[in-house]
Amino acid sequence: VWPNPSADGWRVHTDVPVNTAQLFDSLGRLVWSANSLGAGEWDIPNLPLPAGNYCLRLLTGENVGVVTVLKK
């Protein structure tokens, strides 16, 4: 996931197909999600979000990946 921190969005690269991506704010509220993203690269917009820490959760068929991202 890059750039991190970011002012206008994050780019995700994965070799594993992602079934669901979810972005949570620091209070645990779901603020963005997408399904059937597949493998490769895709963008997560963050312009409407306030500055702060967010938790990005990526779900594949069998695994869950979690990364902390920062909005400037």
Side-chain angles (χ1 to χ4, degrees), residues 2-11 43-47 71:
W2 77 94
N4 192 17
S6 172
D8 58 2
W10 299 282
R11 177 162 282 274
D43 295 317
I44 300 173
N46 70 10
L47 284 176
K71 164 74 186 284

Side-chain angles (χ1 to χ4, degrees), residues 26-68:
S26 60
L27 298 176
R29 296 177 296 202
L30 180 66
V31 295
W32 177 87
S33 68
N35 295 313
S36 302
L37 295 168
E41 291 187 4
W42 31 272
D43 295 317
I44 300 173
N46 70 10
L47 284 176
L49 300 175
N53 291 316
Y54 293 85
C55 177
L56 174 62
R57 183 165 66 175
L58 306 174
L59 297 97
T60 66
E62 298 179 6
N63 297 305
V64 176
V66 177
V67 115
T68 300

